[in-house]
Amino acid sequence: MSKAKSLLGRTAVALSTAAIATLALAGLAGPAQAESPILGTVALTPISGSVQDNPFVTAATTSAACPTGFGENAALKVGPPGGPYSPLARIGGLADYDQAPFTLEANRSLATALGGAPADGTYEVAISCSGATGAAPKDFSTLITVAGGTWAVKNAASTSTRLTAKPGLFAVKGQRVTLTAKVRPDAAGSVEFFAGSTSIGTASVTDGKAVFATTALPKGLLQLTATFTPEDPRRYAASASQICYLVIG
């Protein structure tokens, strides 16, 4: 009897451990929102110059505010894409960088920040947002190209988006309509679909296209729009496509 109880006890412990592990794995494997590698871009003034110009730029302006809770400090920095970075100015400490887009000014040259005249190539100018929580900073950034002692902002490559619908031209109210947006070149990002000014859904770009299906298009002659937002706006520009579509009923 004691052996049977011991065996049952060991079995129960093993099953409990397996159940806990399964639940833990399920929690880890749950759906997660992929985070963009950067928060947005940094507009530089001027957009080109010498690596010896001091200051490097008179204004570096974020495309949006820092995320809520990350507005305590802001730092302007430069380095190879992905880092490591060197400071281009003292850390800003106004503590309100999460309220609106903002501007920082460099207080040294690009050459000074990088410890000497930089080699030709691509560099990243970034503004980091940080808070009092100790969480990892979040960055806005843009890319610059250095060549022969001068630098210039590296413009994002243009993209094109082409929207099609199936069935084509028209559908009956309540019928399933599949919208496909083809993005060229094949850049990572997402496409938001609109009927008029109303957003009806978003889909990720996979293999150069984003697909969204709906049965909720309203009745009438609609202007359908697909707007592509790149995952990395430093490298690729946004684009959009529109078609007219009729829903009868």
Side-chain angles (χ1 to χ4, degrees):
M1 178 66 70
S2 59
K3 288 183 179 181
K5 288 182 178 180
S6 178
L7 178 59
L8 287 171
R10 289 197 300 271
T11 302
V13 170
L15 288 173
S16 298
T17 302
I20 292 172
T22 300
L23 288 172
L25 287 173
L28 290 173
Q33 180 81 21
E35 185 178 7
S36 172
I38 60 171
L39 297 170
T41 55
V42 177
L44 301 179
T45 304
I47 60 172
S48 63
S50 167
V51 299
Q52 302 294 343
D53 288 341
N54 187 9
F56 161 57
V57 290
T58 57
T61 304
T62 61
S63 58
C66 292
T68 301
F70 287 83
E72 184 92 4
N73 300 299
L76 179 61
K77 58 189 183 179
V78 65
Y85 304 102
S86 299
L88 278 164
R90 292 186 296 274
I91 295 176
L94 296 179
D96 61 355
Y97 297 111
D98 54 359
Q99 301 301 306
F102 59 92
T103 298
L104 299 179
E105 179 181 350
N107 66 2
R108 64 204 68 175
S109 69
L110 188 61
T112 299
L114 294 174
D120 292 356
T122 299
Y123 295 82
E124 181 180 14
V125 178
I127 291 179
S128 288
C129 303
S130 58
T133 62
K138 297 182 180 294
D139 291 353
F140 296 88
S141 82
T142 196
L143 299 176
I144 62 171
T145 300
V146 172
T150 62
W151 69 271
V153 170
K154 188 173 184 178
N155 293 323
S158 61
T159 64
S160 64
T161 300
R162 180 172 177 266
L163 175 62
T164 58
K166 186 176 182 181
L169 301 180
F170 71 93
V172 177
K173 192 175 187 313
Q175 184 177 357
R176 180 185 178 89
V177 176
T178 301
L179 303 176
T180 300
K182 293 184 178 180
V183 178
R184 296 291 181 270
D186 182 2
S190 62
V191 173
E192 187 170 10
F193 297 90
F194 295 84
S197 60
T198 302
S199 176
I200 56 175
T202 302
S204 297
V205 177
T206 303
D207 296 329
K209 64 181 180 180
V211 180
F212 175 76
T214 180
T215 58
L217 289 180
K219 181 180 176 181
L221 181 62
L222 308 175
Q223 185 177 63
L224 301 181
T225 305
T227 300
F228 168 65
T229 299
E231 184 177 279
D232 190 344
R234 304 166 306 176
R235 300 184 185 276
Y236 295 99
S239 58
S241 176
Q242 293 181 337
I243 60 173
C244 288
Y245 197 76
L246 179 63
V247 177
I248 60 178

